[in-house]
Amino acid sequence: ASLRSLPADVSVAPGRLEVRSGAACMAAALPPGVSVAPSSCRGLRLLPGDGLHLRLRLRGTPRAPEIVYDLKENLKPQKNCIFSCQSCGNVVVNERKFLRVLPLPSENWSALVEEWCCHPNPFARSTLRPQHDDCFLGDTFLLLNSGNQSYKSKENTRVICERCKTTLGETVSSDTIKYYVTEVIIWPSEESFSTIPRSQFIQSVVAQCLVELSSTKSTFRFTINGDDGKIYILIWLLNSDTLLVESLGSSSSQSLLTLFGDDFMPSSGPLGMWSAVKVLYQPCIKNRNKNLADVWENDFGVHPLKLPSETCLELLLTLSSSTASLPSSLQSMNSFQVRNSCC
């Protein structure tokens, strides 16, 4: 019988969820270490075009999935590393060893010093610049002493990849280069370079940045700014502990897919599990949401993140694609659009 014919029976066990309609059946398994409290099942309903919706309470703490790319793990003092263009793999900085890898203070650190000092700011005329063996880490960038490296464009201060002409960063001074963490990929010299799909890399780096800032600075609202000074996206971080699961599908009839939607595909492969962050976002291109963007820009509780303008558009496209993959009833919340981003 076709699963388009109702009613359908839903049964919940600690490790799996089963839906039956006539002779058709589909089971969704949970990853090891995660179980369902069967009595917590509530809110079961069928939404036209969306499929079955229900809420369940999970038990247990699953093993944290591996992060797609961990900058701080790859960039450590006293270790040789290689900087490559993330887009094409061209080596940008070869065999560099740093004696110090240090985090930079927040961008308004100088203003804070003035508030706390009872005498003139002793750092007013000083700037934080890395020496030859230093690497300074900002929120979305890192600073290196340029040494003999030179990738400066003749037209301006942009630092570009010689092979694919992607903007990698910008020159800060005659001896300092800023590389954006979304544009370069850093690997220990003893390891071989591994390609990561562009969209997956961007969302992983940005998601880790949002989680870290929300933890260290207790801020949950962000503006994604381009290097042209424009605001491209407003992001509101909802959850940093979301778990995405691709279940083992076992079905005697693929017609069950009409109830779950096209993204719930049965698979005979291994169980997939990813950590993710859930965000609300608003696009700001072409003056969209300008009034809200102006309010956020002047709000001290909103943290700005600067990226190359092209990357801002790539991130917006990734956000939009994720939203489109969700059931229509879950795509928005309070005028914001919803997105799950894998770490």
Side-chain angles (χ1 to χ4, degrees), residues 65-69 199-209 211 240 242-245 273-279 315 318-319 322 339-343:
E66 294 183 2
I67 296 176
V68 173
Y69 169 74
S199 176
Q200 188 178 10
F201 179 83
I202 292 176
Q203 66 174 317
S204 176
V205 170
V206 173
Q208 290 176 60
C209 179
V211 171
S240 58
T242 299
L243 184 68
L244 299 181
V245 177
M273 179 174 66
W274 302 269
S275 59
V277 298
K278 179 175 286 186
V279 301
L315 177 60
T318 299
L319 292 170
S322 175
R339 161 73 159 108
N340 291 319
S341 182
C342 294
C343 294

Side-chain angles (χ1 to χ4, degrees), residues 13-17 27-36 56-65 241-249 264 269-275:
R16 62 192 278 118
L17 173 69
L30 292 174
V34 181
S35 63
V36 171
L56 297 166
R57 185 172 69 250
L58 299 181
R59 294 170 174 165
T61 303
R63 178 183 61 84
D241 57 354
T242 299
L243 184 68
L244 299 181
V245 177
E246 181 181 0
S247 174
L248 287 168
F264 196 89
L271 190 70
M273 179 174 66
W274 302 269
S275 59

Side-chain angles (χ1 to χ4, degrees), residues 4 9 12 42 60 67 73 100 127 145 149 168-169 177 195 205 240 246 248 273-276 281 297 310 319 333:
R4 292 182 180 274
D9 294 325
V12 181
R42 68 183 190 277
I67 296 176
E73 183 65 27
R100 301 188 302 173
T127 55
N145 187 283
Q149 301 284 342
L168 304 177
I177 291 182
T195 302
V205 170
S240 58
E246 181 181 0
L248 287 168
M273 179 174 66
W274 302 269
S275 59
Y281 71 96
E297 188 174 21
E310 296 86 352
L319 292 170
M333 179 186 297

Side-chain angles (χ1 to χ4, degrees), residues 317-337:
L317 180 61
T318 299
L319 292 170
S320 300
S321 298
S322 175
T323 299
S325 70
L326 294 173
S328 58
S329 60
L330 302 178
Q331 289 183 3
S332 62
M333 179 186 297
N334 297 333
S335 78
F336 279 78
Q337 298 180 67

Side-chain angles (χ1 to χ4, degrees), residues 92-137:
V92 178
V93 179
N94 193 21
E95 292 289 341
R96 192 79 176 263
K97 179 190 289 186
F98 300 104
L99 299 181
R100 301 188 302 173
V101 178
L102 302 173
L104 286 167
S106 59
E107 294 184 2
N108 60 344
W109 70 274
S110 184
L112 293 176
V113 170
E114 293 179 354
E115 294 292 332
W116 284 95
C117 286
C118 59
H119 49 79
N121 183 356
F123 307 106
R125 296 185 178 181
S126 63
T127 55
L128 297 176
R129 295 287 184 261
Q131 300 301 311
H132 179 71
D133 296 320
D134 293 339
C135 178
F136 292 170
L137 293 176

Side-chain angles (χ1 to χ4, degrees), residues 224 228 230-234 282-290 293 309 312-313 316-317 320:
I224 305 298
D228 56 3
K230 298 179 181 179
I231 296 178
Y232 282 76
I233 315 170
L234 308 178
Q282 289 278 25
C284 297
I285 58 175
K286 298 182 179 179
N287 288 325
R288 292 181 61 183
N289 301 300
K290 185 179 186 306
S309 301
C312 294
L313 293 174
L316 182 57
L317 180 61
S320 300

Side-chain angles (χ1 to χ4, degrees), residues 84 161 190 253 338:
S84 299
C161 174
E190 64 271 14
S253 172
V338 180

